[in-house]
mmCIF file of all heavy atoms in Angstrom:
data_model
loop_
_atom_site.group_PDB
_atom_site.id
_atom_site.type_symbol
_atom_site.label_atom_id
_atom_site.label_comp_id
_atom_site.label_asym_id
_atom_site.label_seq_id
_atom_site.Cartn_x
_atom_site.Cartn_y
_atom_site.Cartn_z
ATOM 1 N N GLN A 139 5.885 -5.276 -26.980
ATOM 2 C CA GLN A 139 5.929 -4.113 -26.089
ATOM 3 C C GLN A 139 5.028 -4.288 -24.862
ATOM 4 O O GLN A 139 5.206 -3.596 -23.862
ATOM 5 C CB GLN A 139 5.524 -2.849 -26.846
ATOM 6 C CG GLN A 139 6.574 -2.370 -27.842
ATOM 7 C CD GLN A 139 6.133 -1.107 -28.536
ATOM 8 O OE1 GLN A 139 5.105 -1.084 -29.216
ATOM 9 N NE2 GLN A 139 6.896 -0.045 -28.374
ATOM 10 N N ASP A 140 4.047 -5.193 -24.944
ATOM 11 C CA ASP A 140 3.131 -5.408 -23.831
ATOM 12 C C ASP A 140 3.433 -6.693 -23.054
ATOM 13 O O ASP A 140 2.624 -7.123 -22.236
ATOM 14 C CB ASP A 140 1.689 -5.456 -24.333
ATOM 15 C CG ASP A 140 1.190 -4.092 -24.773
ATOM 16 O OD1 ASP A 140 1.271 -3.153 -23.971
ATOM 17 O OD2 ASP A 140 0.738 -3.967 -25.927
ATOM 18 N N SER A 141 4.590 -7.277 -23.311
ATOM 19 C CA SER A 141 4.937 -8.533 -22.624
ATOM 20 C C SER A 141 5.125 -8.336 -21.130
ATOM 21 O O SER A 141 5.007 -9.290 -20.360
ATOM 22 C CB SER A 141 6.199 -9.141 -23.237
ATOM 23 O OG SER A 141 5.948 -9.642 -24.533
ATOM 24 N N GLY A 142 5.399 -7.113 -20.722
ATOM 25 C CA GLY A 142 5.568 -6.848 -19.291
ATOM 26 C C GLY A 142 4.295 -7.100 -18.518
ATOM 27 O O GLY A 142 4.269 -7.875 -17.554
ATOM 28 N N ARG A 143 3.210 -6.476 -18.964
ATOM 29 C CA ARG A 143 1.953 -6.693 -18.233
ATOM 30 C C ARG A 143 1.390 -8.087 -18.474
ATOM 31 O O ARG A 143 0.673 -8.622 -17.629
ATOM 32 C CB ARG A 143 0.920 -5.615 -18.534
ATOM 33 C CG ARG A 143 0.485 -5.418 -19.954
ATOM 34 C CD ARG A 143 -0.411 -4.169 -20.023
ATOM 35 N NE ARG A 143 -0.710 -3.785 -21.387
ATOM 36 C CZ ARG A 143 -1.903 -3.942 -21.971
ATOM 37 N NH1 ARG A 143 -2.889 -4.506 -21.285
ATOM 38 N NH2 ARG A 143 -2.109 -3.542 -23.204
ATOM 39 N N LYS A 144 1.727 -8.688 -19.615
ATOM 40 C CA LYS A 144 1.317 -10.074 -19.841
ATOM 41 C C LYS A 144 2.015 -10.996 -18.834
ATOM 42 O O LYS A 144 1.382 -11.869 -18.214
ATOM 43 C CB LYS A 144 1.682 -10.490 -21.274
ATOM 44 C CG LYS A 144 1.460 -11.965 -21.596
ATOM 45 C CD LYS A 144 -0.008 -12.337 -21.579
ATOM 46 C CE LYS A 144 -0.250 -13.711 -22.187
ATOM 47 N NZ LYS A 144 0.432 -14.800 -21.467
ATOM 48 N N ALA A 145 3.303 -10.806 -18.639
ATOM 49 C CA ALA A 145 4.055 -11.636 -17.690
ATOM 50 C C ALA A 145 3.568 -11.404 -16.261
ATOM 51 O O ALA A 145 3.395 -12.351 -15.490
ATOM 52 C CB ALA A 145 5.549 -11.326 -17.793
ATOM 53 N N LEU A 146 3.335 -10.136 -15.923
ATOM 54 C CA LEU A 146 2.862 -9.847 -14.565
ATOM 55 C C LEU A 146 1.483 -10.443 -14.334
ATOM 56 O O LEU A 146 1.210 -11.002 -13.261
ATOM 57 C CB LEU A 146 2.832 -8.336 -14.328
ATOM 58 C CG LEU A 146 2.453 -7.918 -12.896
ATOM 59 C CD1 LEU A 146 3.511 -8.383 -11.894
ATOM 60 C CD2 LEU A 146 2.259 -6.413 -12.786
ATOM 61 N N SER A 147 0.591 -10.354 -15.324
ATOM 62 C CA SER A 147 -0.761 -10.907 -15.159
ATOM 63 C C SER A 147 -0.705 -12.421 -14.985
ATOM 64 O O SER A 147 -1.482 -12.990 -14.211
ATOM 65 C CB SER A 147 -1.639 -10.540 -16.348
ATOM 66 O OG SER A 147 -1.271 -11.254 -17.505
ATOM 67 N N ASP A 148 0.204 -13.096 -15.707
ATOM 68 C CA ASP A 148 0.340 -14.546 -15.557
ATOM 69 C C ASP A 148 0.788 -14.905 -14.144
ATOM 70 O O ASP A 148 0.322 -15.892 -13.569
ATOM 71 C CB ASP A 148 1.341 -15.102 -16.576
ATOM 72 C CG ASP A 148 0.789 -15.115 -17.987
ATOM 73 O OD1 ASP A 148 -0.448 -14.989 -18.139
ATOM 74 O OD2 ASP A 148 1.579 -15.242 -18.937
ATOM 75 N N TRP A 149 1.698 -14.106 -13.599
ATOM 76 C CA TRP A 149 2.157 -14.378 -12.227
ATOM 77 C C TRP A 149 1.078 -14.031 -11.200
ATOM 78 O O TRP A 149 0.817 -14.797 -10.274
ATOM 79 C CB TRP A 149 3.433 -13.579 -11.921
ATOM 80 C CG TRP A 149 3.838 -13.727 -10.487
ATOM 81 C CD1 TRP A 149 4.461 -14.802 -9.908
ATOM 82 C CD2 TRP A 149 3.612 -12.783 -9.428
ATOM 83 N NE1 TRP A 149 4.649 -14.585 -8.558
ATOM 84 C CE2 TRP A 149 4.141 -13.355 -8.241
ATOM 85 C CE3 TRP A 149 3.038 -11.518 -9.376
ATOM 86 C CZ2 TRP A 149 4.095 -12.695 -7.008
ATOM 87 C CZ3 TRP A 149 2.991 -10.864 -8.149
ATOM 88 C CH2 TRP A 149 3.509 -11.448 -6.986
ATOM 89 N N VAL A 150 0.430 -12.870 -11.375
ATOM 90 C CA VAL A 150 -0.603 -12.426 -10.426
ATOM 91 C C VAL A 150 -1.704 -13.469 -10.307
ATOM 92 O O VAL A 150 -2.149 -13.813 -9.197
ATOM 93 C CB VAL A 150 -1.198 -11.069 -10.868
ATOM 94 C CG1 VAL A 150 -2.505 -10.787 -10.136
ATOM 95 C CG2 VAL A 150 -0.211 -9.938 -10.583
ATOM 96 N N THR A 151 -2.162 -14.012 -11.433
ATOM 97 C CA THR A 151 -3.310 -14.921 -11.429
ATOM 98 C C THR A 151 -2.917 -16.392 -11.336
ATOM 99 O O THR A 151 -3.788 -17.264 -11.369
ATOM 100 C CB THR A 151 -4.149 -14.726 -12.711
ATOM 101 O OG1 THR A 151 -3.330 -15.003 -13.851
ATOM 102 C CG2 THR A 151 -4.662 -13.296 -12.802
ATOM 103 N N GLY A 152 -1.635 -16.666 -11.201
ATOM 104 C CA GLY A 152 -1.184 -18.050 -11.121
ATOM 105 C C GLY A 152 -1.602 -18.729 -9.823
ATOM 106 O O GLY A 152 -1.714 -18.088 -8.773
ATOM 107 N N SER A 153 -1.818 -20.043 -9.890
ATOM 108 C CA SER A 153 -2.273 -20.787 -8.705
ATOM 109 C C SER A 153 -1.231 -20.799 -7.595
ATOM 110 O O SER A 153 -1.564 -21.015 -6.426
ATOM 111 C CB SER A 153 -2.615 -22.228 -9.100
ATOM 112 O OG SER A 153 -1.485 -22.882 -9.664
ATOM 113 N N GLY A 154 0.043 -20.552 -7.955
ATOM 114 C CA GLY A 154 1.086 -20.546 -6.933
ATOM 115 C C GLY A 154 1.285 -19.202 -6.272
ATOM 116 O O GLY A 154 2.098 -19.080 -5.330
ATOM 117 N N ASN A 155 0.544 -18.187 -6.707
ATOM 118 C CA ASN A 155 0.689 -16.857 -6.102
ATOM 119 C C ASN A 155 0.184 -16.900 -4.657
ATOM 120 O O ASN A 155 -0.947 -17.336 -4.403
ATOM 121 C CB ASN A 155 -0.108 -15.826 -6.902
ATOM 122 C CG ASN A 155 0.185 -14.402 -6.469
ATOM 123 O OD1 ASN A 155 -0.036 -14.029 -5.330
ATOM 124 N ND2 ASN A 155 0.692 -13.615 -7.397
ATOM 125 N N PRO A 156 0.985 -16.447 -3.689
ATOM 126 C CA PRO A 156 0.581 -16.556 -2.280
ATOM 127 C C PRO A 156 -0.492 -15.571 -1.848
ATOM 128 O O PRO A 156 -1.010 -15.659 -0.735
ATOM 129 C CB PRO A 156 1.894 -16.289 -1.528
ATOM 130 C CG PRO A 156 2.678 -15.411 -2.453
ATOM 131 C CD PRO A 156 2.334 -15.871 -3.842
ATOM 132 N N TYR A 157 -0.848 -14.610 -2.708
ATOM 133 C CA TYR A 157 -1.778 -13.559 -2.312
ATOM 134 C C TYR A 157 -3.090 -13.556 -3.099
ATOM 135 O O TYR A 157 -4.117 -13.111 -2.585
ATOM 136 C CB TYR A 157 -1.128 -12.169 -2.471
ATOM 137 C CG TYR A 157 0.177 -12.015 -1.742
ATOM 138 C CD1 TYR A 157 1.391 -12.021 -2.432
ATOM 139 C CD2 TYR A 157 0.213 -11.863 -0.353
ATOM 140 C CE1 TYR A 157 2.597 -11.873 -1.763
ATOM 141 C CE2 TYR A 157 1.417 -11.718 0.321
ATOM 142 C CZ TYR A 157 2.607 -11.721 -0.388
ATOM 143 O OH TYR A 157 3.789 -11.581 0.275
ATOM 144 N N PHE A 158 -3.057 -14.011 -4.342
ATOM 145 C CA PHE A 158 -4.176 -13.806 -5.264
ATOM 146 C C PHE A 158 -5.489 -14.399 -4.751
ATOM 147 O O PHE A 158 -6.487 -13.693 -4.608
ATOM 148 C CB PHE A 158 -3.822 -14.402 -6.626
ATOM 149 C CG PHE A 158 -4.872 -14.197 -7.682
ATOM 150 C CD1 PHE A 158 -5.196 -12.923 -8.114
ATOM 151 C CD2 PHE A 158 -5.526 -15.281 -8.251
ATOM 152 C CE1 PHE A 158 -6.148 -12.727 -9.110
ATOM 153 C CE2 PHE A 158 -6.480 -15.097 -9.237
ATOM 154 C CZ PHE A 158 -6.804 -13.820 -9.660
ATOM 155 N N ALA A 159 -5.514 -15.685 -4.457
ATOM 156 C CA ALA A 159 -6.752 -16.336 -4.006
ATOM 157 C C ALA A 159 -7.165 -15.828 -2.629
ATOM 158 O O ALA A 159 -8.356 -15.612 -2.372
ATOM 159 C CB ALA A 159 -6.568 -17.853 -3.974
ATOM 160 N N LYS A 160 -6.197 -15.619 -1.740
ATOM 161 C CA LYS A 160 -6.515 -15.154 -0.387
ATOM 162 C C LYS A 160 -7.131 -13.765 -0.416
ATOM 163 O O LYS A 160 -8.046 -13.457 0.365
ATOM 164 C CB LYS A 160 -5.266 -15.165 0.488
ATOM 165 C CG LYS A 160 -4.780 -16.557 0.857
ATOM 166 C CD LYS A 160 -3.578 -16.494 1.780
ATOM 167 C CE LYS A 160 -3.112 -17.899 2.168
ATOM 168 N NZ LYS A 160 -1.921 -17.866 3.058
ATOM 169 N N ASN A 161 -6.654 -12.914 -1.315
ATOM 170 C CA ASN A 161 -7.220 -11.570 -1.416
ATOM 171 C C ASN A 161 -8.678 -11.621 -1.842
ATOM 172 O O ASN A 161 -9.530 -10.937 -1.259
ATOM 173 C CB ASN A 161 -6.417 -10.747 -2.429
ATOM 174 C CG ASN A 161 -7.048 -9.404 -2.707
ATOM 175 O OD1 ASN A 161 -7.189 -8.556 -1.832
ATOM 176 N ND2 ASN A 161 -7.455 -9.209 -3.951
ATOM 177 N N ALA A 162 -8.999 -12.446 -2.850
ATOM 178 C CA ALA A 162 -10.385 -12.567 -3.310
ATOM 179 C C ALA A 162 -11.278 -13.100 -2.200
ATOM 180 O O ALA A 162 -12.384 -12.592 -1.969
ATOM 181 C CB ALA A 162 -10.452 -13.487 -4.530
ATOM 182 N N VAL A 163 -10.812 -14.130 -1.502
ATOM 183 C CA VAL A 163 -11.577 -14.720 -0.400
ATOM 184 C C VAL A 163 -11.805 -13.700 0.709
ATOM 185 O O VAL A 163 -12.923 -13.557 1.227
ATOM 186 C CB VAL A 163 -10.832 -15.952 0.159
ATOM 187 C CG1 VAL A 163 -11.396 -16.349 1.514
ATOM 188 C CG2 VAL A 163 -10.928 -17.124 -0.820
ATOM 189 N N ASN A 164 -10.753 -12.971 1.052
ATOM 190 C CA ASN A 164 -10.851 -12.012 2.153
ATOM 191 C C ASN A 164 -11.833 -10.896 1.843
ATOM 192 O O ASN A 164 -12.634 -10.491 2.695
ATOM 193 C CB ASN A 164 -9.466 -11.418 2.438
ATOM 194 C CG ASN A 164 -9.405 -10.665 3.749
ATOM 195 O OD1 ASN A 164 -9.858 -11.149 4.787
ATOM 196 N ND2 ASN A 164 -8.851 -9.464 3.720
ATOM 197 N N ARG A 165 -11.819 -10.406 0.606
ATOM 198 C CA ARG A 165 -12.723 -9.320 0.225
ATOM 199 C C ARG A 165 -14.169 -9.808 0.138
ATOM 200 O O ARG A 165 -15.100 -9.086 0.521
ATOM 201 C CB ARG A 165 -12.265 -8.699 -1.097
ATOM 202 C CG ARG A 165 -10.944 -7.940 -0.950
ATOM 203 C CD ARG A 165 -10.522 -7.264 -2.232
ATOM 204 N NE ARG A 165 -9.221 -6.626 -2.102
ATOM 205 C CZ ARG A 165 -9.012 -5.411 -1.611
ATOM 206 N NH1 ARG A 165 -10.038 -4.687 -1.187
ATOM 207 N NH2 ARG A 165 -7.797 -4.908 -1.538
ATOM 208 N N LEU A 166 -14.359 -11.033 -0.355
ATOM 209 C CA LEU A 166 -15.712 -11.565 -0.440
ATOM 210 C C LEU A 166 -16.262 -11.852 0.954
ATOM 211 O O LEU A 166 -17.436 -11.602 1.240
ATOM 212 C CB LEU A 166 -15.714 -12.840 -1.287
ATOM 213 C CG LEU A 166 -17.043 -13.208 -1.959
ATOM 214 C CD1 LEU A 166 -17.533 -12.075 -2.849
ATOM 215 C CD2 LEU A 166 -16.893 -14.485 -2.777
ATOM 216 N N TRP A 167 -15.419 -12.381 1.836
ATOM 217 C CA TRP A 167 -15.825 -12.627 3.225
ATOM 218 C C TRP A 167 -16.247 -11.306 3.883
ATOM 219 O O TRP A 167 -17.255 -11.236 4.590
ATOM 220 C CB TRP A 167 -14.677 -13.264 3.989
ATOM 221 C CG TRP A 167 -14.977 -13.634 5.409
ATOM 222 C CD1 TRP A 167 -14.912 -12.811 6.504
ATOM 223 C CD2 TRP A 167 -15.385 -14.917 5.914
ATOM 224 N NE1 TRP A 167 -15.241 -13.492 7.646
ATOM 225 C CE2 TRP A 167 -15.531 -14.786 7.316
ATOM 226 C CE3 TRP A 167 -15.616 -16.152 5.323
ATOM 227 C CZ2 TRP A 167 -15.923 -15.852 8.129
ATOM 228 C CZ3 TRP A 167 -16.006 -17.221 6.132
ATOM 229 C CH2 TRP A 167 -16.154 -17.062 7.519
ATOM 230 N N ALA A 168 -15.485 -10.250 3.655
ATOM 231 C CA ALA A 168 -15.811 -8.940 4.233
ATOM 232 C C ALA A 168 -17.138 -8.417 3.691
ATOM 233 O O ALA A 168 -17.879 -7.735 4.408
ATOM 234 C CB ALA A 168 -14.693 -7.947 3.932
ATOM 235 N N HIS A 169 -17.454 -8.736 2.438
ATOM 236 C CA HIS A 169 -18.734 -8.318 1.858
ATOM 237 C C HIS A 169 -19.893 -8.941 2.618
ATOM 238 O O HIS A 169 -20.911 -8.283 2.866
ATOM 239 C CB HIS A 169 -18.783 -8.741 0.389
ATOM 240 C CG HIS A 169 -20.138 -8.624 -0.238
ATOM 241 N ND1 HIS A 169 -20.775 -7.417 -0.439
ATOM 242 C CD2 HIS A 169 -20.997 -9.575 -0.711
ATOM 243 C CE1 HIS A 169 -21.953 -7.617 -1.007
ATOM 244 N NE2 HIS A 169 -22.120 -8.919 -1.187
ATOM 245 N N TYR A 170 -19.742 -10.204 3.022
ATOM 246 C CA TYR A 170 -20.854 -10.902 3.679
ATOM 247 C C TYR A 170 -20.878 -10.712 5.196
ATOM 248 O O TYR A 170 -21.931 -10.878 5.805
ATOM 249 C CB TYR A 170 -20.783 -12.398 3.350
ATOM 250 C CG TYR A 170 -21.052 -12.692 1.894
ATOM 251 C CD1 TYR A 170 -20.073 -13.228 1.077
ATOM 252 C CD2 TYR A 170 -22.291 -12.401 1.327
ATOM 253 C CE1 TYR A 170 -20.312 -13.482 -0.270
ATOM 254 C CE2 TYR A 170 -22.536 -12.648 -0.016
ATOM 255 C CZ TYR A 170 -21.541 -13.191 -0.809
ATOM 256 O OH TYR A 170 -21.787 -13.420 -2.134
ATOM 257 N N PHE A 171 -19.756 -10.365 5.792
ATOM 258 C CA PHE A 171 -19.711 -10.230 7.246
ATOM 259 C C PHE A 171 -19.394 -8.815 7.732
ATOM 260 O O PHE A 171 -19.423 -8.551 8.927
ATOM 261 C CB PHE A 171 -18.673 -11.188 7.844
ATOM 262 C CG PHE A 171 -19.099 -12.629 7.841
ATOM 263 C CD1 PHE A 171 -18.647 -13.506 6.878
ATOM 264 C CD2 PHE A 171 -19.983 -13.104 8.810
ATOM 265 C CE1 PHE A 171 -19.040 -14.838 6.864
ATOM 266 C CE2 PHE A 171 -20.386 -14.436 8.810
ATOM 267 C CZ PHE A 171 -19.913 -15.302 7.832
ATOM 268 N N GLY A 172 -19.088 -7.921 6.821
ATOM 269 C CA GLY A 172 -18.787 -6.554 7.231
ATOM 270 C C GLY A 172 -17.363 -6.372 7.717
ATOM 271 O O GLY A 172 -16.932 -5.241 7.949
ATOM 272 N N VAL A 173 -16.607 -7.446 7.868
ATOM 273 C CA VAL A 173 -15.211 -7.377 8.309
ATOM 274 C C VAL A 173 -14.469 -8.557 7.714
ATOM 275 O O VAL A 173 -14.999 -9.661 7.613
ATOM 276 C CB VAL A 173 -15.118 -7.380 9.854
ATOM 277 C CG1 VAL A 173 -15.717 -8.651 10.442
ATOM 278 C CG2 VAL A 173 -13.680 -7.214 10.323
ATOM 279 N N GLY A 174 -13.235 -8.328 7.261
ATOM 280 C CA GLY A 174 -12.466 -9.378 6.622
ATOM 281 C C GLY A 174 -11.773 -10.283 7.622
ATOM 282 O O GLY A 174 -11.652 -9.960 8.807
ATOM 283 N N LEU A 175 -11.314 -11.421 7.139
ATOM 284 C CA LEU A 175 -10.484 -12.300 7.965
ATOM 285 C C LEU A 175 -9.145 -11.642 8.238
ATOM 286 O O LEU A 175 -8.488 -11.927 9.232
ATOM 287 C CB LEU A 175 -10.288 -13.646 7.253
ATOM 288 C CG LEU A 175 -11.548 -14.511 7.148
ATOM 289 C CD1 LEU A 175 -11.393 -15.569 6.054
ATOM 290 C CD2 LEU A 175 -11.875 -15.166 8.482
ATOM 291 N N VAL A 176 -8.732 -10.751 7.327
ATOM 292 C CA VAL A 176 -7.555 -9.904 7.526
ATOM 293 C C VAL A 176 -7.997 -8.466 7.366
ATOM 294 O O VAL A 176 -8.657 -8.119 6.389
ATOM 295 C CB VAL A 176 -6.444 -10.225 6.497
ATOM 296 C CG1 VAL A 176 -5.271 -9.266 6.664
ATOM 297 C CG2 VAL A 176 -5.970 -11.664 6.635
ATOM 298 N N GLU A 177 -7.662 -7.640 8.316
ATOM 299 C CA GLU A 177 -7.947 -6.210 8.253
ATOM 300 C C GLU A 177 -6.662 -5.426 8.522
ATOM 301 O O GLU A 177 -5.889 -5.805 9.396
ATOM 302 C CB GLU A 177 -9.000 -5.811 9.301
ATOM 303 C CG GLU A 177 -10.417 -6.287 8.974
ATOM 304 C CD GLU A 177 -11.081 -5.432 7.906
ATOM 305 O OE1 GLU A 177 -10.535 -4.347 7.576
ATOM 306 O OE2 GLU A 177 -12.124 -5.850 7.392
ATOM 307 N N PRO A 178 -6.406 -4.337 7.784
ATOM 308 C CA PRO A 178 -7.206 -3.839 6.661
ATOM 309 C C PRO A 178 -7.121 -4.754 5.452
ATOM 310 O O PRO A 178 -6.201 -5.580 5.345
ATOM 311 C CB PRO A 178 -6.589 -2.461 6.381
ATOM 312 C CG PRO A 178 -5.206 -2.544 6.914
ATOM 313 C CD PRO A 178 -5.257 -3.465 8.095
ATOM 314 N N LEU A 179 -8.069 -4.603 4.545
ATOM 315 C CA LEU A 179 -8.189 -5.523 3.419
ATOM 316 C C LEU A 179 -7.011 -5.453 2.464
ATOM 317 O O LEU A 179 -6.734 -6.419 1.748
ATOM 318 C CB LEU A 179 -9.479 -5.237 2.638
ATOM 319 C CG LEU A 179 -10.797 -5.394 3.419
ATOM 320 C CD1 LEU A 179 -11.976 -5.081 2.513
ATOM 321 C CD2 LEU A 179 -10.933 -6.782 4.015
ATOM 322 N N ASP A 180 -6.307 -4.328 2.432
ATOM 323 C CA ASP A 180 -5.185 -4.199 1.509
ATOM 324 C C ASP A 180 -3.850 -4.402 2.207
ATOM 325 O O ASP A 180 -2.832 -3.831 1.819
ATOM 326 C CB ASP A 180 -5.214 -2.831 0.804
ATOM 327 C CG ASP A 180 -5.144 -1.661 1.772
ATOM 328 O OD1 ASP A 180 -5.136 -1.907 2.994
ATOM 329 O OD2 ASP A 180 -5.105 -0.509 1.312
ATOM 330 N N ASP A 181 -3.849 -5.246 3.241
ATOM 331 C CA ASP A 181 -2.591 -5.570 3.928
ATOM 332 C C ASP A 181 -2.537 -7.060 4.251
ATOM 333 O O ASP A 181 -2.681 -7.477 5.399
ATOM 334 C CB ASP A 181 -2.447 -4.741 5.204
ATOM 335 C CG ASP A 181 -1.062 -4.901 5.838
ATOM 336 O OD1 ASP A 181 -0.187 -5.520 5.191
ATOM 337 O OD2 ASP A 181 -0.878 -4.426 6.973
ATOM 338 N N LEU A 182 -2.341 -7.860 3.204
ATOM 339 C CA LEU A 182 -2.240 -9.306 3.377
ATOM 340 C C LEU A 182 -0.795 -9.748 3.612
ATOM 341 O O LEU A 182 -0.481 -10.916 3.434
ATOM 342 C CB LEU A 182 -2.779 -10.030 2.141
ATOM 343 C CG LEU A 182 -4.300 -10.175 2.005
ATOM 344 C CD1 LEU A 182 -4.634 -10.899 0.718
ATOM 345 C CD2 LEU A 182 -4.897 -10.927 3.185
ATOM 346 N N SER A 183 0.058 -8.841 4.003
ATOM 347 C CA SER A 183 1.468 -9.175 4.191
ATOM 348 C C SER A 183 1.653 -10.092 5.389
ATOM 349 O O SER A 183 0.782 -10.217 6.253
ATOM 350 C CB SER A 183 2.289 -7.898 4.393
ATOM 351 O OG SER A 183 1.949 -7.272 5.618
ATOM 352 N N GLU A 184 2.820 -10.729 5.430
ATOM 353 C CA GLU A 184 3.127 -11.639 6.533
ATOM 354 C C GLU A 184 3.185 -10.915 7.877
ATOM 355 O O GLU A 184 3.063 -11.541 8.937
ATOM 356 C CB GLU A 184 4.474 -12.339 6.278
ATOM 357 C CG GLU A 184 4.445 -13.370 5.159
ATOM 358 C CD GLU A 184 4.473 -12.740 3.772
ATOM 359 O OE1 GLU A 184 4.515 -11.494 3.680
ATOM 360 O OE2 GLU A 184 4.424 -13.497 2.785
#
C-alpha cells in the first residue's frame, strides 16, 4: 500500500533527477549568500 511513496522517493532522490541535487545546492548557496543562484528558490523550472 505504500509502494507509491516508495517509488516516488526513489525517483526524487535518484542521481538522474534533474532537480534534486540542484535544489539542495541552490538552497544551501542562498543560506551562505542571502540569495540563490535561482530565485525564487521554489522555481527551478526551465
Side-chain angles (χ1 to χ4, degrees):
Q139 288 181 300
D140 289 306
S141 290
R143 59 187 171 108
K144 173 67 168 61
L146 184 65
S147 72
D148 287 344
W149 174 77
V150 164
T151 60
S153 59
N155 190 299
Y157 305 105
F158 183 64
K160 289 183 179 179
N161 173 62
V163 165
N164 193 48
R165 291 183 184 276
L166 204 57
W167 183 276
H169 168 66
Y170 293 115
F171 286 100
V173 61
L175 291 161
V176 176
E177 288 283 349
L179 299 180
D180 59 357
D181 188 9
L182 280 179
S183 67
E184 289 77 0

